[in-house]
Short mmCIF file of all heavy atoms in Angstrom, two decimals:
data_model
loop_
_atom_site.label_atom_id
_atom_site.label_comp_id
_atom_site.label_asym_id
_atom_site.label_seq_id
_atom_site.Cartn_x
_atom_site.Cartn_y
_atom_site.Cartn_z
N MET A 1 90.64 80.27 99.54
CA MET A 1 91.45 81.01 100.48
C MET A 1 92.93 80.81 100.19
O MET A 1 93.70 81.78 100.19
CB MET A 1 91.11 80.57 101.90
CG MET A 1 91.96 81.20 102.95
SD MET A 1 91.59 82.89 103.32
CE MET A 1 90.33 82.69 104.53
N GLU A 2 93.33 79.58 99.92
CA GLU A 2 94.75 79.32 99.67
C GLU A 2 95.23 80.00 98.38
O GLU A 2 96.34 80.53 98.35
CB GLU A 2 95.02 77.82 99.63
CG GLU A 2 94.84 77.13 100.98
CD GLU A 2 95.62 77.81 102.10
OE1 GLU A 2 96.81 78.12 101.91
OE2 GLU A 2 95.04 78.04 103.17
N ALA A 3 94.39 79.98 97.35
CA ALA A 3 94.78 80.64 96.10
C ALA A 3 94.93 82.14 96.31
O ALA A 3 95.87 82.76 95.78
CB ALA A 3 93.76 80.35 95.00
N PHE A 4 94.05 82.72 97.10
CA PHE A 4 94.14 84.15 97.40
C PHE A 4 95.41 84.44 98.20
O PHE A 4 96.13 85.39 97.91
CB PHE A 4 92.90 84.61 98.17
CG PHE A 4 92.90 86.09 98.46
CD1 PHE A 4 92.55 86.99 97.47
CD2 PHE A 4 93.26 86.56 99.71
CE1 PHE A 4 92.56 88.36 97.73
CE2 PHE A 4 93.26 87.92 99.98
CZ PHE A 4 92.91 88.82 98.98
N ALA A 5 95.70 83.61 99.19
CA ALA A 5 96.90 83.79 100.01
C ALA A 5 98.17 83.68 99.15
O ALA A 5 99.11 84.45 99.32
CB ALA A 5 96.94 82.77 101.15
N GLU A 6 98.16 82.74 98.21
CA GLU A 6 99.31 82.60 97.30
C GLU A 6 99.46 83.85 96.44
O GLU A 6 100.58 84.31 96.18
CB GLU A 6 99.14 81.37 96.43
CG GLU A 6 99.33 80.07 97.17
CD GLU A 6 99.04 78.85 96.30
OE1 GLU A 6 99.03 78.97 95.06
OE2 GLU A 6 98.80 77.78 96.88
N HIS A 7 98.34 84.40 95.97
CA HIS A 7 98.36 85.61 95.15
C HIS A 7 98.95 86.78 95.96
O HIS A 7 99.79 87.52 95.45
CB HIS A 7 96.95 85.94 94.66
CG HIS A 7 96.87 87.19 93.85
ND1 HIS A 7 97.26 87.23 92.53
CD2 HIS A 7 96.45 88.43 94.17
CE1 HIS A 7 97.09 88.46 92.07
NE2 HIS A 7 96.59 89.20 93.04
N VAL A 8 98.50 86.94 97.20
CA VAL A 8 99.02 88.00 98.05
C VAL A 8 100.52 87.79 98.29
O VAL A 8 101.31 88.73 98.17
CB VAL A 8 98.26 88.06 99.40
CG1 VAL A 8 98.94 89.00 100.38
CG2 VAL A 8 96.81 88.49 99.16
N ALA A 9 100.90 86.58 98.62
CA ALA A 9 102.31 86.27 98.89
C ALA A 9 103.20 86.60 97.69
O ALA A 9 104.31 87.12 97.85
CB ALA A 9 102.47 84.81 99.28
N LYS A 10 102.69 86.32 96.50
CA LYS A 10 103.46 86.57 95.29
C LYS A 10 103.72 88.07 95.08
O LYS A 10 104.71 88.45 94.48
CB LYS A 10 102.70 86.00 94.09
CG LYS A 10 103.45 86.10 92.79
CD LYS A 10 102.83 85.29 91.65
CE LYS A 10 101.36 85.59 91.47
NZ LYS A 10 100.80 85.00 90.25
N HIS A 11 102.83 88.91 95.62
CA HIS A 11 102.96 90.35 95.41
C HIS A 11 103.57 91.10 96.60
O HIS A 11 103.74 92.31 96.53
CB HIS A 11 101.60 90.94 95.05
CG HIS A 11 101.16 90.54 93.68
ND1 HIS A 11 100.48 89.38 93.43
CD2 HIS A 11 101.36 91.13 92.48
CE1 HIS A 11 100.25 89.28 92.15
NE2 HIS A 11 100.78 90.33 91.54
N LEU A 12 103.91 90.37 97.66
CA LEU A 12 104.61 91.01 98.77
C LEU A 12 106.09 91.15 98.41
O LEU A 12 106.67 90.24 97.82
CB LEU A 12 104.46 90.19 100.05
CG LEU A 12 103.08 90.14 100.67
CD1 LEU A 12 103.06 89.15 101.84
CD2 LEU A 12 102.63 91.52 101.13
N PRO A 13 106.71 92.26 98.79
CA PRO A 13 108.14 92.40 98.51
C PRO A 13 108.95 91.35 99.26
O PRO A 13 108.58 90.95 100.36
CB PRO A 13 108.47 93.81 99.00
CG PRO A 13 107.25 94.39 99.58
CD PRO A 13 106.14 93.41 99.47
N PRO A 14 110.05 90.90 98.67
CA PRO A 14 110.87 89.85 99.31
C PRO A 14 111.37 90.26 100.69
O PRO A 14 111.54 89.41 101.56
CB PRO A 14 112.05 89.67 98.35
CG PRO A 14 111.71 90.40 97.11
CD PRO A 14 110.59 91.33 97.40
N GLN A 15 111.59 91.53 100.92
CA GLN A 15 112.08 91.99 102.23
C GLN A 15 110.93 92.13 103.24
O GLN A 15 111.13 92.65 104.32
CB GLN A 15 112.86 93.31 102.08
CG GLN A 15 112.03 94.50 101.72
CD GLN A 15 111.78 94.68 100.22
OE1 GLN A 15 111.94 93.78 99.42
NE2 GLN A 15 111.37 95.86 99.84
N PHE A 16 109.74 91.66 102.88
CA PHE A 16 108.57 91.75 103.75
C PHE A 16 108.12 90.34 104.12
O PHE A 16 107.13 89.84 103.61
CB PHE A 16 107.46 92.51 103.01
CG PHE A 16 106.31 92.91 103.88
CD1 PHE A 16 106.40 94.02 104.70
CD2 PHE A 16 105.12 92.20 103.86
CE1 PHE A 16 105.34 94.42 105.48
CE2 PHE A 16 104.05 92.59 104.66
CZ PHE A 16 104.16 93.70 105.47
N PRO A 17 108.87 89.67 105.00
CA PRO A 17 108.56 88.26 105.31
C PRO A 17 107.36 88.12 106.26
O PRO A 17 107.53 87.85 107.44
CB PRO A 17 109.85 87.77 105.95
CG PRO A 17 110.39 88.99 106.63
CD PRO A 17 110.01 90.15 105.76
N ARG A 18 106.19 88.33 105.74
CA ARG A 18 104.97 88.24 106.54
C ARG A 18 104.05 87.16 105.97
O ARG A 18 104.04 86.89 104.77
CB ARG A 18 104.22 89.56 106.54
CG ARG A 18 104.99 90.73 107.09
CD ARG A 18 105.02 90.62 108.62
NE ARG A 18 105.58 91.82 109.20
CZ ARG A 18 106.75 91.90 109.78
NH1 ARG A 18 107.53 90.85 109.83
NH2 ARG A 18 107.18 93.02 110.30
N ASP A 19 103.24 86.59 106.83
CA ASP A 19 102.22 85.64 106.42
C ASP A 19 101.17 86.38 105.58
O ASP A 19 100.67 87.42 106.02
CB ASP A 19 101.58 85.02 107.66
CG ASP A 19 100.41 84.15 107.32
OD1 ASP A 19 100.61 83.12 106.64
OD2 ASP A 19 99.28 84.51 107.71
N PRO A 20 100.82 85.87 104.40
CA PRO A 20 99.87 86.58 103.55
C PRO A 20 98.47 86.72 104.17
O PRO A 20 97.80 87.73 103.97
CB PRO A 20 99.83 85.77 102.26
CG PRO A 20 100.47 84.48 102.58
CD PRO A 20 101.35 84.68 103.76
N LYS A 21 98.03 85.73 104.94
CA LYS A 21 96.71 85.84 105.57
C LYS A 21 96.72 86.92 106.66
O LYS A 21 95.77 87.70 106.78
CB LYS A 21 96.28 84.49 106.15
CG LYS A 21 95.92 83.48 105.09
CD LYS A 21 95.50 82.17 105.71
CE LYS A 21 95.32 81.10 104.66
NZ LYS A 21 95.03 79.80 105.24
N THR A 22 97.79 86.99 107.42
CA THR A 22 97.91 88.01 108.45
C THR A 22 97.98 89.39 107.81
O THR A 22 97.35 90.35 108.29
CB THR A 22 99.17 87.76 109.31
OG1 THR A 22 99.06 86.46 109.88
CG2 THR A 22 99.31 88.79 110.40
N THR A 23 98.70 89.50 106.72
CA THR A 23 98.81 90.76 106.00
C THR A 23 97.45 91.18 105.47
O THR A 23 97.05 92.35 105.59
CB THR A 23 99.83 90.64 104.85
OG1 THR A 23 101.09 90.26 105.40
CG2 THR A 23 99.96 91.94 104.09
N THR A 24 96.72 90.25 104.87
CA THR A 24 95.39 90.55 104.35
C THR A 24 94.47 90.99 105.47
O THR A 24 93.71 91.96 105.32
CB THR A 24 94.80 89.32 103.63
OG1 THR A 24 95.68 88.96 102.56
CG2 THR A 24 93.42 89.61 103.07
N HIS A 25 94.51 90.30 106.59
CA HIS A 25 93.69 90.68 107.74
C HIS A 25 94.00 92.11 108.19
O HIS A 25 93.09 92.89 108.47
CB HIS A 25 93.90 89.69 108.89
CG HIS A 25 93.07 89.98 110.09
ND1 HIS A 25 91.70 89.92 110.09
CD2 HIS A 25 93.43 90.37 111.33
CE1 HIS A 25 91.26 90.25 111.28
NE2 HIS A 25 92.29 90.53 112.05
N ALA A 26 95.27 92.46 108.22
CA ALA A 26 95.67 93.81 108.62
C ALA A 26 95.18 94.85 107.63
O ALA A 26 94.69 95.93 108.04
CB ALA A 26 97.19 93.89 108.76
N VAL A 27 95.24 94.56 106.35
CA VAL A 27 94.75 95.49 105.33
C VAL A 27 93.23 95.64 105.45
O VAL A 27 92.70 96.75 105.40
CB VAL A 27 95.15 95.02 103.92
CG1 VAL A 27 94.44 95.84 102.85
CG2 VAL A 27 96.66 95.12 103.74
N PHE A 28 92.52 94.53 105.63
CA PHE A 28 91.07 94.60 105.79
C PHE A 28 90.70 95.40 107.04
O PHE A 28 89.73 96.16 107.03
CB PHE A 28 90.46 93.20 105.86
CG PHE A 28 90.38 92.48 104.53
CD1 PHE A 28 89.92 91.18 104.48
CD2 PHE A 28 90.76 93.08 103.34
CE1 PHE A 28 89.82 90.50 103.27
CE2 PHE A 28 90.68 92.41 102.13
CZ PHE A 28 90.20 91.11 102.09
N ASP A 29 91.47 95.24 108.11
CA ASP A 29 91.21 95.99 109.34
C ASP A 29 91.39 97.48 109.09
O ASP A 29 90.55 98.29 109.52
CB ASP A 29 92.16 95.52 110.44
CG ASP A 29 91.85 96.15 111.78
OD1 ASP A 29 90.69 96.09 112.22
OD2 ASP A 29 92.78 96.73 112.38
N LEU A 30 92.42 97.86 108.37
CA LEU A 30 92.65 99.27 108.04
C LEU A 30 91.52 99.81 107.16
O LEU A 30 91.01 100.91 107.40
CB LEU A 30 94.00 99.44 107.33
CG LEU A 30 94.32 100.85 106.86
CD1 LEU A 30 94.45 101.79 108.06
CD2 LEU A 30 95.57 100.87 106.03
N LEU A 31 91.12 99.04 106.16
CA LEU A 31 90.02 99.47 105.29
C LEU A 31 88.74 99.66 106.09
O LEU A 31 87.99 100.61 105.88
CB LEU A 31 89.79 98.47 104.16
CG LEU A 31 90.88 98.41 103.10
CD1 LEU A 31 90.60 97.26 102.12
CD2 LEU A 31 90.99 99.73 102.36
N TRP A 32 88.48 98.73 107.03
CA TRP A 32 87.29 98.83 107.88
C TRP A 32 87.28 100.14 108.65
O TRP A 32 86.26 100.79 108.80
CB TRP A 32 87.21 97.64 108.83
CG TRP A 32 86.16 97.80 109.88
CD1 TRP A 32 86.35 97.98 111.21
CD2 TRP A 32 84.75 97.80 109.68
NE1 TRP A 32 85.16 98.10 111.85
CE2 TRP A 32 84.14 98.00 110.93
CE3 TRP A 32 83.93 97.67 108.56
CZ2 TRP A 32 82.76 98.07 111.10
CZ3 TRP A 32 82.55 97.73 108.73
CH2 TRP A 32 81.99 97.93 109.98
N LYS A 33 88.44 100.55 109.13
CA LYS A 33 88.55 101.78 109.93
C LYS A 33 88.43 103.03 109.07
O LYS A 33 88.00 104.07 109.55
CB LYS A 33 89.87 101.80 110.69
CG LYS A 33 89.95 100.76 111.77
CD LYS A 33 91.32 100.72 112.42
CE LYS A 33 91.38 99.62 113.46
NZ LYS A 33 92.74 99.45 113.97
N GLU A 34 88.84 102.95 107.80
CA GLU A 34 88.93 104.14 106.96
C GLU A 34 87.76 104.34 105.99
O GLU A 34 87.49 105.47 105.60
CB GLU A 34 90.24 104.12 106.16
CG GLU A 34 91.48 104.15 107.04
CD GLU A 34 91.62 105.42 107.85
OE1 GLU A 34 91.24 106.51 107.36
OE2 GLU A 34 92.11 105.34 109.00
N LEU A 35 87.10 103.26 105.58
CA LEU A 35 86.03 103.37 104.59
C LEU A 35 84.67 103.59 105.24
O LEU A 35 84.45 103.25 106.40
CB LEU A 35 85.97 102.12 103.72
CG LEU A 35 87.17 101.85 102.82
CD1 LEU A 35 86.96 100.53 102.05
CD2 LEU A 35 87.38 102.99 101.84
N ASP A 36 83.76 104.12 104.45
CA ASP A 36 82.38 104.29 104.87
C ASP A 36 81.79 102.91 105.21
O ASP A 36 81.97 101.95 104.45
CB ASP A 36 81.60 104.94 103.72
CG ASP A 36 80.12 105.03 103.99
OD1 ASP A 36 79.71 106.00 104.65
OD2 ASP A 36 79.39 104.12 103.55
N PRO A 37 81.08 102.78 106.33
CA PRO A 37 80.53 101.47 106.71
C PRO A 37 79.60 100.85 105.66
O PRO A 37 79.63 99.63 105.45
CB PRO A 37 79.76 101.76 108.00
CG PRO A 37 80.43 102.98 108.56
CD PRO A 37 80.86 103.78 107.36
N GLY A 38 78.80 101.66 104.99
CA GLY A 38 77.92 101.12 103.94
C GLY A 38 78.70 100.57 102.77
O GLY A 38 78.38 99.51 102.23
N LEU A 39 79.74 101.29 102.37
CA LEU A 39 80.60 100.83 101.28
C LEU A 39 81.32 99.55 101.69
O LEU A 39 81.42 98.60 100.90
CB LEU A 39 81.61 101.91 100.92
CG LEU A 39 82.64 101.57 99.85
CD1 LEU A 39 81.95 101.28 98.52
CD2 LEU A 39 83.62 102.72 99.68
N THR A 40 81.78 99.51 102.92
CA THR A 40 82.48 98.33 103.41
C THR A 40 81.55 97.11 103.42
O THR A 40 81.96 96.02 103.03
CB THR A 40 83.04 98.58 104.82
OG1 THR A 40 83.87 99.73 104.78
CG2 THR A 40 83.86 97.40 105.31
N ALA A 41 80.31 97.31 103.85
CA ALA A 41 79.34 96.20 103.87
C ALA A 41 79.13 95.65 102.46
O ALA A 41 79.07 94.43 102.27
CB ALA A 41 78.03 96.66 104.47
N LYS A 42 79.03 96.53 101.46
CA LYS A 42 78.87 96.08 100.08
C LYS A 42 80.10 95.31 99.61
O LYS A 42 79.99 94.30 98.93
CB LYS A 42 78.62 97.27 99.16
CG LYS A 42 77.27 97.89 99.32
CD LYS A 42 77.11 99.07 98.38
CE LYS A 42 75.79 99.78 98.61
NZ LYS A 42 75.64 100.95 97.74
N LEU A 43 81.25 95.80 99.98
CA LEU A 43 82.50 95.14 99.61
C LEU A 43 82.58 93.74 100.21
O LEU A 43 82.88 92.77 99.52
CB LEU A 43 83.70 95.98 100.08
CG LEU A 43 85.08 95.43 99.83
CD1 LEU A 43 85.37 95.31 98.35
CD2 LEU A 43 86.12 96.32 100.49
N ILE A 44 82.27 93.64 101.50
CA ILE A 44 82.32 92.35 102.19
C ILE A 44 81.32 91.38 101.57
O ILE A 44 81.63 90.21 101.34
CB ILE A 44 82.06 92.52 103.69
CG1 ILE A 44 83.21 93.31 104.34
CG2 ILE A 44 81.90 91.17 104.39
CD1 ILE A 44 82.93 93.76 105.75
N ASP A 45 80.11 91.86 101.28
CA ASP A 45 79.08 90.99 100.69
C ASP A 45 79.50 90.43 99.33
O ASP A 45 79.05 89.35 98.94
CB ASP A 45 77.76 91.74 100.53
CG ASP A 45 77.05 91.97 101.86
OD1 ASP A 45 77.40 91.29 102.85
OD2 ASP A 45 76.15 92.83 101.90
N GLY A 46 80.37 91.14 98.62
CA GLY A 46 80.81 90.69 97.31
C GLY A 46 81.96 89.70 97.34
O GLY A 46 82.34 89.16 96.31
N LEU A 47 82.51 89.46 98.51
CA LEU A 47 83.64 88.53 98.64
C LEU A 47 83.17 87.10 98.84
O LEU A 47 82.11 86.86 99.43
CB LEU A 47 84.50 88.92 99.84
CG LEU A 47 85.27 90.23 99.75
CD1 LEU A 47 85.93 90.54 101.09
CD2 LEU A 47 86.30 90.19 98.65
N PRO A 48 83.97 86.14 98.42
CA PRO A 48 83.66 84.75 98.75
C PRO A 48 83.69 84.57 100.28
O PRO A 48 84.45 85.25 100.98
CB PRO A 48 84.80 83.96 98.10
CG PRO A 48 85.41 84.88 97.09
CD PRO A 48 85.16 86.27 97.59
N ALA A 49 82.88 83.67 100.77
CA ALA A 49 82.75 83.45 102.22
C ALA A 49 84.09 83.27 102.95
O ALA A 49 84.28 83.87 104.01
CB ALA A 49 81.82 82.27 102.49
N PRO A 50 85.04 82.49 102.42
CA PRO A 50 86.30 82.33 103.17
C PRO A 50 87.04 83.65 103.38
O PRO A 50 87.68 83.86 104.41
CB PRO A 50 87.11 81.38 102.31
CG PRO A 50 86.11 80.64 101.50
CD PRO A 50 85.00 81.62 101.25
N LEU A 51 86.97 84.56 102.41
CA LEU A 51 87.66 85.84 102.55
C LEU A 51 86.96 86.77 103.52
O LEU A 51 87.59 87.61 104.15
CB LEU A 51 87.82 86.52 101.19
CG LEU A 51 88.72 85.81 100.20
CD1 LEU A 51 88.82 86.61 98.91
CD2 LEU A 51 90.09 85.58 100.78
N ARG A 52 85.66 86.61 103.66
CA ARG A 52 84.92 87.44 104.63
C ARG A 52 85.43 87.21 106.05
O ARG A 52 85.39 88.11 106.88
CB ARG A 52 83.43 87.11 104.59
CG ARG A 52 82.77 87.56 103.32
CD ARG A 52 81.29 87.26 103.37
NE ARG A 52 80.82 87.10 102.00
CZ ARG A 52 79.78 86.39 101.66
NH1 ARG A 52 79.06 85.78 102.58
NH2 ARG A 52 79.44 86.29 100.40
N SER A 53 85.94 86.03 106.32
CA SER A 53 86.42 85.72 107.67
C SER A 53 87.67 86.51 108.04
O SER A 53 88.03 86.58 109.21
CB SER A 53 86.69 84.23 107.81
OG SER A 53 87.81 83.86 107.03
N LEU A 54 88.34 87.11 107.07
CA LEU A 54 89.54 87.88 107.34
C LEU A 54 89.22 89.32 107.76
O LEU A 54 90.11 90.03 108.22
CB LEU A 54 90.46 87.90 106.12
CG LEU A 54 91.03 86.53 105.71
CD1 LEU A 54 91.80 86.64 104.41
CD2 LEU A 54 91.93 85.99 106.81
N TRP A 55 87.97 89.74 107.60
CA TRP A 55 87.57 91.07 108.03
C TRP A 55 87.42 91.09 109.55
O TRP A 55 87.16 90.05 110.17
CB TRP A 55 86.24 91.47 107.39
CG TRP A 55 86.43 91.92 105.98
CD1 TRP A 55 86.43 91.12 104.88
CD2 TRP A 55 86.69 93.24 105.52
NE1 TRP A 55 86.68 91.88 103.76
CE2 TRP A 55 86.84 93.18 104.12
CE3 TRP A 55 86.81 94.48 106.15
CZ2 TRP A 55 87.09 94.31 103.35
CZ3 TRP A 55 87.06 95.59 105.37
CH2 TRP A 55 87.21 95.51 104.00
N PRO A 56 87.55 92.26 110.17
CA PRO A 56 87.33 92.33 111.63
C PRO A 56 85.93 91.82 111.97
O PRO A 56 84.99 91.99 111.19
CB PRO A 56 87.45 93.82 111.93
CG PRO A 56 88.16 94.42 110.77
CD PRO A 56 87.87 93.55 109.58
N ALA A 57 85.80 91.19 113.12
CA ALA A 57 84.51 90.59 113.52
C ALA A 57 83.40 91.63 113.55
O ALA A 57 82.26 91.34 113.19
CB ALA A 57 84.65 89.94 114.89
N ILE A 58 83.70 92.86 113.91
CA ILE A 58 82.69 93.92 113.99
C ILE A 58 82.14 94.25 112.60
O ILE A 58 81.01 94.70 112.48
CB ILE A 58 83.27 95.17 114.66
CG1 ILE A 58 82.17 96.13 115.02
CG2 ILE A 58 84.32 95.83 113.80
CD1 ILE A 58 82.60 97.24 115.94
N ALA A 59 82.91 93.98 111.54
CA ALA A 59 82.48 94.29 110.19
C ALA A 59 81.44 93.28 109.68
O ALA A 59 80.68 93.59 108.79
CB ALA A 59 83.68 94.32 109.23
N GLY A 60 81.48 92.06 110.22
CA GLY A 60 80.59 91.02 109.74
C GLY A 60 79.22 91.20 110.22
O GLY A 60 78.21 90.93 109.79
#
């Protein structure tokens, strides 16, 4: 989880002072709302367990 958060932080623009985990959670929430539920389930299943926790609870 920490390595992923560091990777996200490294790619956020400097003028975007946001927590990388919060940002990831927001992106996952948007994807959950926009993607097909079956596709989303496959995507979530392919993630390491710590990253699955960043998805909205309804997606799990």
Side-chain angles (χ1 to χ4, degrees):
M1 176 75 87
E2 292 308 313
F4 183 78
E6 288 175 19
H7 178 78
V8 171
K10 184 168 52 171
H11 289 87
L12 291 173
Q15 69 274 18
F16 192 79
R18 300 284 188 251
D19 173 64
K21 289 180 188 175
T22 302
T23 301
T24 301
H25 181 65
V27 170
F28 284 177
D29 186 52
L30 177 64
L31 290 174
W32 170 249
K33 292 174 183 173
E34 298 296 326
L35 295 178
D36 174 85
L39 177 62
T40 304
K42 288 179 184 178
L43 177 64
I44 294 169
D45 287 344
L47 292 173
L51 294 181
R52 290 183 207 154
S53 69
L54 296 174
W55 281 88
I58 193 168

